[in-house]
Structures are given as C-alpha cells and as structure tokens.
Amino acid sequence: GTSDPYVKFKIGGKEVFRSKIIHKNLNPVWEEKACIFVEHLREPLYIKVFDYDFGLQDDFMGSAFLDLTQLELNRPTDVTLTLKDPHYPDHYLGIILLSVILTPKEGEHRDVTMLMRKSWKRSSKDLSENEVVGSYFSVKSFFWRTYGRPSLPVLGFCRAELQRTYDQNAQFQTQSLRLSDVHRKSQLWRGIVSITLIEGRDLKAMDSNGLSDPYVKFRLGHQKYKSKIMPKTLNPQWREQFDFHLYEERGGIIDITAWDKDAGKRDDFIGRCQVDLSSLSREQTHKLELQLEEGEGHLVLLVTLTASATVSISDLSVSSLEDQKEREEILRRYSPLRIFHNLKDVGFLQVKVIRAEGLMVADVTGKSDPFCVVELNNDRLLTHTVYKNLNPEWNKIFTFNIKDIHSVLEVTVYDEDRDRSADFLGKVAIPLLSIQNGEQKAYVLKNKQLTGPTKGVIYLEIDVIFNAVKASLRTLIPKEQKYIEEENRLSKQLLLRNFIRMKRCVMVLVNAAYFVNSCFDWDSPPRSLAAFVLFLFVVWNFELYMIPLVLLLLLTWNYFLIISGKDNRQRDTVVEDMLEDEEEEDDKDDKDSEKKGFINKIYAIQEVCISVQNILDEVASFGERIKNTFNWTVPFLSWLAIVAFCVFTVILYFIPLRYIVLVWGINKFTKKLRNPYAIDNNELLDFLSRVPSDVQVVQYQELKPDPSHSPCKRKKNNLG
C-alpha cells in the first residue's frame, strides 16, 4: 500500500536532475536543492515522478510541466503542480510542491562568474568547444533581451569564463554522470561488506504444487548479485558467499528481494527486506534473520563489514614501487615468512597506464574522447578523459590488492559520449601470472570478444608481487564471483561452437575406447601382445599410489618435451576460427534479425537454449582444463599439481586406504557440526576453475604489435 517515489527533472528532453528515493511513503518530503542552467525560458521544465522498483522497471506515477515564462525574476515562488498520466488524463495522481526562483545573469563580472560556476557544478555536463561558442552567444542574446546592448568587456569576460571552465572540466573530469552505469561505478571504495546467504525459512508457496523455486537478488547502489535457484522448496539452503564494496562512509542500504523462478513467464515476487549497514558495527560478523515484507518467511544472512582501502589511483609521478621504503614494506608484507597473516591478501598489483596510439575514430570530427577503465575482478577504476585525441596520454598509476593470483587484469578503452553510454574502442585481458614485472609493453587492443585486433595499441607497465604459498592455498577455494557480468546471450554460432568443443572432448574418450577394443580384437598382433603383457604386469603389481604417480610422470614427460623444444601444445586455430566466425555471425544477426524467422523461433525458447548452450560450454571447458593442466598451459598450476600428486603418492604408499577413507568420511560427516554455515566446495573443481579453457587461452593471447606503431618507426616516417 506504499511506494518508493523519486523525481526526474528534464529540459529539452535531457535529464538535468534526479532526486533521492523516499522509501515507503505516499507523502514524501525531499527538501533537496538543485541549480539548473536554463538556456531558453520557452522550454518548460518537465517533471516526472516514478516508483522505484528493485529488480523491475520503475513504475510511472505521474508528470507535470512548469512554464518558466510565468515566473518572476529574483522572486521565490511556491508552485503546486498536479500530476497527470497522458494516457489517463482524468485520473488524479497527486500533487508535487516546488519552491522556484529564477535568477538572471547580472552584468557584474562577479555575479556572472558565480552563476556559471554554480550551474556547471550541478549539471556535470562538460562543454565541447562548439558549445562554448554557443553558450557565449546565448549569454549575449540574454543580455540583449533583458538589459539592452551589453558592453564588450562583459561579453569578453563571459567568453573567457566559459572557455576557462571548459578547459578545467576537460582536465579534471573523472566521474562524469554522462558515462554509462558500468563506468559510473568506478569511484574508489572505502570498505567491503561480506555477505553469506545461508537459508530461507517458511517462504511463500507460489506454485500449484504448494512449493516454490526461490532465488534472491541483492542490490547495493549499482552493485547487484543474484543467488542460485533452489528448486521445489520453501526452506532453501543456499550457503552462498559474495562481497559488495562500500563507497559511502555511512555504508548504505542493501535492498533484498526474493523471487520464485517460473520458466516461460515472469518470475513471481515472494517478498523484500533491507539491511541498513550504518547500524552494523565494523570488523564483526552479524547473523541477521530478516522478515520478508509484502510476503511470508525469513532470510538468514551473515554480514561482515571490513574497513579497507585496497585500490587507489594516482599520477605517474607517485609510484609505490619506485619509493624504496614502500617497496621494501610491500615485499615484507608478502614474504614467505608471513604465510598465515591475512590469507585473503595474496599480493599487490601496480598498473601504469601510460598512453595509447592510433585509436579508432568515434566522433564525426575525426577524433575520439578516450578514457581507460582498469578492472581486476570486482575492483574497477578509470582514468580522466583526454578530449579530441587519437593518441592520448594518461600517465596514471593504479594499485590493487590481489585476492586470487589467477585473476585476469582487464584494460578497456572507451570513447566518452555526451548523450549516450560510452563507445567501446578496444580491450586487452592479461592474466596476472603472465605479467613480466617492470617491463613497458605495447598491447594491441582487441575487440569485445577478445578474438581479434581492433585499431590502436595501449602502453602499460605492470608489476605483480605475491606470496606463492598463499596463492596456492587460495587456488583450492571457490573463485570470487563477479557481481556485474554480461547476461548470457543466445547465439547459433556460440551453441555450435560449444557443441563442437564438447564433441572433441567426447571423441578423445571414444577414440581411447576404440583403441582398447582393437587390442582385444587383435587388429594389430604386436600391439595387442604388448598391451596384454602390460596388463598382466600392471594388475599383478598394482597399488593405489600408482594412480597419482602415473599422472605425475605424465606431467613430467610433457615438461621435458617443452624445455627440449618438442612442444606438443598446438595452437588451437579451430577454436580461434570459431570465435571469429561467431563474432561475424553476431554482427550479421544484429542487422538481419528482423528478416530471419528462424532466429525469432529460437528466441521463443531462449531460456532452454541458453541452458543447453551453457551446459555444453561447462562440459567442454572441463575436459579442456584437464588437458591444459597436463600441457603446462599455466606453469604455476602445473607445478602445484606436481606437488599435490607427490603428496598423494606418498600418502597412498605409506597409509592404508581404509584409514584415508575413514578420515575423509569423518570430515564430511562432522563438517556441518563444526561449522554450520560453511560453504560446500570441491577443492579439485576449484583448482580446475583456475585453469583456462581453450577459448580463454585464445582470448588471453597477446597479439603482435604492428611495427608502424613503434615511436621510432613513426619518427622515421615523419622525417621521410
């Protein structure tokens, strides 16, 4: 019976201000002030009221127009506007009260300066050079209409102020509201809130069988997380853990909604609740039992607030690793002697974003307005924008704390666009374990799918310092989940690619079965005789410890092949070709989607197809990761596997199997008794999740820079 209203103000079709949300109130009081720059009084102020609805599209609650020409100058006016719905003009939707004062630009220099600065601060709209001239003529025409012909010194001063403010904004703009939501969330965070979703109790039955298929959505500001679906239960046990970042000193409010999954139709709403982080003490775990409002049941959570500052951005002149004292402190922090001190703090990453060259043209002027976004898992930072430049220099340093050494650093270049979300210019993905410290490298920018080159290179210098023992231990626990990911898309080519990948993995097993069967059929007598003798020898002498020993020998054999130059790892051109074909097919589908009835039919059963597509991907990736472990695709993980196989061999050799099974069973049966809220995991699967699949291997490959991008080459060309 309530709403969560907020208000949007628009002029000329552009949003100029948005109020805060007042939760659960039909008579909200905002008491907010906004200074809005109005270029033409004949354009009315359009006011729209919405009801905030987490997880769904916000509901329209009414709108009204304010005629600015009816206001008196320099006189505060209380305005009462009746909200209407254009589709239902007779419906009464309430009123909205405003206090408005219209202030002209005075002739005195000081008043003009203050008014300009105030309006530009609020609007956060950087002016292009053409707009500077346009605003100058707008100021000129306003003076002319209101006060008669203005003096030249005043006009000169206005133009100088406009140009100066433009230059200032272009230099220091880093958090523009004109960027898309993805890049708006790149501000520095002040702490972490760690959430464990434990269970639900007595949830509302939404299905005809008296049960539900519940899942939970979490939202803190721009950050979102969706739990897995628990089928056919009113008392789900999730046991999921994830982290949100805190951007506000007060902490903020986490919106939580519970839903029932319905295949083929809209999901049913079960209930909602909130967590006010400002009421929770830091550095302490809180167990919360939250009553679901607008529904039935409870949710049980563990919430921990941690004060931390693990990411930062600075100019190139300020480098942590170049300062000898700071470098020694960082090396001491991740030395082998500090293995058990803060196991989550695995290492330190410093990224120098120096410059880019030869970027793609994104604007009609033949230039671009590039800025750079640097991401490591859920940590996301960005540089300032360099306007009208295809060879920008940022000279910024980003520092991150590493929680998983198997993470991938993503550096993406965008073109800032005033009226739309930022345009993609290029991207590189760099696994942390492949980084060579202190080396300035030119990375060729790739397309969105990371399958082929796009125009331009970016110059980076990266340093990684980490504790190898902590990194190895972290390999055996679940990976950190990204709470902002692209939604799965349905693609014929992607479905075909995953099917072919899975088929290749299955064919390995099929061919092995054919080979064994041919030995039984004596298709080749020498081979069958050798297989028979080997079978007798192995079975007669078999011990359990020989299984990890054989795997250890296989890893060692491949290692010696690699160091001797007989590398049996072949570049997977088949997967690479499929990725390129997929990108071309996606572009073709985007253009011709209206003409293809087959695509529309596929999208009618989109959910089923995406599920099949993802299952094929998981099965294929599982087989490829096993292969790449033994192929030394990631040496760190292969060495870790060697250590594990050595340990298992020794254990199985000296300890009887029944004791090992007994210890395993006792641990499994008592795990929930010792830690009721422990999150189940499988160490082997967690290890394999760090090994890249063939698709990821192709995506992480560095492309060779075009020799024409070399600065020396360019100088010679220019001299020529």
Side-chain angles (χ1 to χ4, degrees), residues 318-354:
V318 183
S319 175
S320 300
L321 296 180
E322 289 179 2
D323 187 316
Q324 191 60 31
K325 289 184 178 179
E326 286 196 38
R327 185 180 184 89
E328 290 176 0
E329 176 61 30
I330 293 171
L331 290 171
R332 192 181 305 114
R333 193 197 314 170
Y334 301 109
S335 67
L337 301 177
R338 303 191 53 149
I339 296 174
F340 300 106
H341 179 76
N342 192 1
L343 288 174
K344 287 187 176 181
D345 187 13
V346 171
F348 174 85
L349 171 67
Q350 178 177 282
V351 184
K352 294 182 181 178
V353 181
I354 301 169

Side-chain angles (χ1 to χ4, degrees), residues 160-434:
E161 279 295 310
L162 284 162
Q163 184 65 49
R164 190 178 67 80
T165 306
Y166 162 69
D167 294 338
Q168 211 172 39
N169 284 351
Q171 182 177 1
F172 297 110
Q173 149 73 353
T174 58
Q175 297 292 324
S176 172
L177 294 178
R178 288 184 275 114
L179 304 181
S180 66
D181 288 338
V182 173
H183 314 304
R184 200 179 299 163
K185 40 184 124 95
S186 304
Q187 62 197 51
L188 300 184
W189 44 274
R190 297 181 172 88
I192 296 175
V193 52
S194 179
I195 302 171
T196 302
L197 173 61
I198 300 171
E199 63 185 1
R201 297 176 184 168
D202 303 321
L203 300 183
K204 187 177 181 180
M206 307 300 294
D207 297 339
S208 57
N209 58 6
L211 299 173
S212 295
D213 304 318
Y215 65 93
V216 183
K217 289 182 178 180
F218 295 81
R219 179 170 180 171
L220 176 62
H222 63 266
Q223 305 169 80
K224 299 177 184 177
Y225 180 83
K226 178 181 175 182
S227 75
K228 59 189 176 186
I229 300 166
M230 305 300 292
K232 297 181 176 58
T233 179
L234 299 181
N235 298 283
Q237 300 286 322
W238 282 287
R239 303 291 197 268
E240 292 186 52
Q241 193 276 330
F242 58 96
D243 294 336
F244 280 157
H245 290 166
L246 296 176
Y247 292 96
E248 303 177 16
E249 293 291 349
R250 297 187 303 276
I253 294 177
I254 301 177
D255 289 311
I256 305 170
T257 52
W259 301 83
D260 168 59
K261 182 66 178 177
D262 275 338
K265 58 181 180 179
R266 190 171 180 175
D267 295 348
D268 296 322
F269 177 74
I270 295 178
R272 73 168 72 236
C273 56
Q274 291 184 333
V275 177
D276 186 356
L277 298 178
S278 61
S279 63
L280 303 179
S281 57
R282 293 183 177 250
E283 309 299 339
Q284 181 180 345
T285 299
H286 305 267
K287 182 182 177 183
L288 305 177
E289 295 187 16
L290 304 174
Q291 171 73 44
L292 290 176
E293 301 173 7
E294 306 172 35
E296 300 174 7
H298 295 76
L299 293 179
V300 182
L301 311 174
L302 294 180
V303 180
T304 306
L305 294 177
T306 305
S308 177
T310 60
V311 295
S312 67
I313 178 174
S314 60
D315 292 323
L316 202 60
S317 58
V318 183
S319 175
S320 300
L321 296 180
E322 289 179 2
D323 187 316
Q324 191 60 31
K325 289 184 178 179
E326 286 196 38
R327 185 180 184 89
E328 290 176 0
E329 176 61 30
I330 293 171
L331 290 171
R332 192 181 305 114
R333 193 197 314 170
Y334 301 109
S335 67
L337 301 177
R338 303 191 53 149
I339 296 174
F340 300 106
H341 179 76
N342 192 1
L343 288 174
K344 287 187 176 181
D345 187 13
V346 171
F348 174 85
L349 171 67
Q350 178 177 282
V351 184
K352 294 182 181 178
V353 181
I354 301 169
R355 68 183 188 279
E357 292 183 355
L359 295 179
M360 191 186 305
V361 174
D363 298 337
V364 293
T365 58
K367 300 287 185 180
S368 295
D369 303 323
F371 66 96
C372 191
V373 178
V374 183
E375 298 174 80
L376 184 70
N377 293 329
N378 291 315
D379 299 333
R380 187 180 281 104
L381 296 172
L382 55 80
T383 67
H384 61 281
T385 303
V386 179
Y387 292 93
K388 302 191 184 315
N389 203 318
L390 298 180
N391 303 291
E393 291 193 12
W394 293 290
N395 293 324
K396 291 292 180 183
I397 293 180
F398 300 87
T399 60
F400 302 87
N401 274 21
I402 300 171
K403 291 187 281 187
D404 188 349
I405 195 59
H406 308 288
S407 302
V408 177
L409 177 70
E410 296 182 0
V411 182
T412 312
V413 182
Y414 292 93
D415 168 69
E416 186 181 312
D417 203 324
R418 175 181 175 181
D419 299 321
R420 300 187 301 275
S421 60
D423 296 324
F424 177 86
L425 296 181
K427 179 179 183 179
V428 291
I430 309 166
L432 297 186
L433 285 171
S434 69

Side-chain angles (χ1 to χ4, degrees), residues 52-77:
Y52 170 75
D53 209 347
F54 172 62
L56 302 172
Q57 185 174 354
D58 294 346
D59 298 320
F60 175 73
M61 297 181 66
S63 63
F65 286 94
L66 175 60
D67 187 357
L68 301 179
T69 60
Q70 302 299 318
L71 300 176
E72 296 185 32
L73 293 176
N74 294 318
R75 180 179 176 181
T77 306

